Amino acid sequence: MRVFIALAIAASLAGCTTYDRARASDFEPLPDGKFRFQADKLYPYTEQDLIGWLETSLKENSYCPAGYKITDKKEVVRAETMFGDATSLIFYGRCT
């Protein structure tokens, strides 16, 4: 029974990350094999999770099949709220 509950929780979390990625990120291919990827920093996702979202976007768009390199990263404040700043990470990169 515990295994079933653990699997159900894992499956529900996997569904959330797919929904959040689609809602809270944007992939933009740029000329010369470059790209821009913006993702909102949402709890409980870490920067490593956002890089995973980037890699999923690259695969979905058949971009950088031989790999990629992040060339710059910026954090921007989208809004100031009573709970703290709402921020996004913007990754700039290029195909290798």
Side-chain angles (χ1 to χ4, degrees):
M1 182 66 168
R2 289 182 189 173
V3 171
F4 175 75
I5 293 171
L7 289 174
I9 291 171
S12 67
L13 290 176
C16 291
T17 193
T18 300
Y19 172 77
D20 288 341
R21 182 183 63 82
R23 183 180 60 82
S25 68
D26 182 53
F27 174 76
E28 179 183 4
L30 300 173
D32 300 325
K34 296 179 182 176
F35 62 85
R36 177 185 171 276
F37 180 77
Q38 178 174 335
D40 296 342
K41 290 177 68 177
L42 305 170
Y43 177 82
Y45 302 114
T46 65
E47 185 172 326
Q48 192 61 38
D49 293 323
L50 301 184
I51 290 172
W53 292 3
L54 163 62
E55 291 173 349
T56 298
S57 292
L58 290 170
K59 288 177 189 169
E60 287 177 347
N61 289 280
S62 301
Y63 212 73
C64 302
Y68 71 96
K69 178 178 180 173
I70 294 174
T71 57
D72 195 14
K73 177 180 74 169
K74 296 180 181 177
E75 185 169 341
V76 295
V77 176
R78 295 185 333 278
E80 294 178 3
T81 72
M82 63 187 217
F83 302 109
D85 293 340
T87 59
S88 291
L89 283 178
I90 302 174
F91 299 95
Y92 294 92
R94 62 176 172 79
C95 299
T96 56

